[in-house]
């Protein structure tokens, strides 16, 4: 009998998206505000010049979906 099959595997919580603000560490914590909308809280945003948003690779976007940044 294999006990490992009955033990749940706990993976770190991972977001579908992440961002990097120039000069800062990668952030993947975002708030899901709708089924297809996510919001990042960027501390001290007035001092950010460049931001890169990316898919983390945890899952692909569903067929027929696309990404946009506002």
């Amino acid at each position: 009998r294999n006990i490992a099959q009955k033990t749940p595997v706990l993976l770190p919580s991972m977001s579908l998206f992440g961002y990097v603000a120039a000069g800062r560490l990668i952030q993947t914590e975002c708030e899901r505000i709708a089924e297809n909308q996510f919001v990042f809280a960027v501390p001290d945003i007035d001092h950010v010049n460049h931001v890169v948003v990316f898919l983390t690779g945890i899952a692909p976007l569903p067929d027929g979906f696309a990404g946009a940044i506002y």
Side-chain angles (χ1 to χ4, degrees):
R1 187 168 157 186
N2 188 344
I3 296 175
Q5 291 177 341
K6 297 191 181 246
T7 305
V9 176
L10 299 176
L11 298 174
S13 177
M14 190 94 177
S15 175
L16 186 64
F17 301 99
Y19 81 90
V20 179
R24 300 184 188 184
L25 298 175
I26 293 172
Q27 300 296 315
T28 58
E29 294 180 24
C30 61
E31 180 182 353
R32 187 176 202 158
I33 59 172
E35 181 182 356
N36 61 349
Q37 295 179 340
F38 299 83
V39 173
F40 285 102
V42 182
D44 200 21
I45 191 70
D46 292 335
H47 294 97
V48 174
N49 293 323
H50 297 83
V51 175
V52 175
V53 178
F54 58 91
L55 289 166
T56 60
I58 192 84
L61 288 177
D63 287 341
F65 278 71
I69 301 170
Y70 296 93

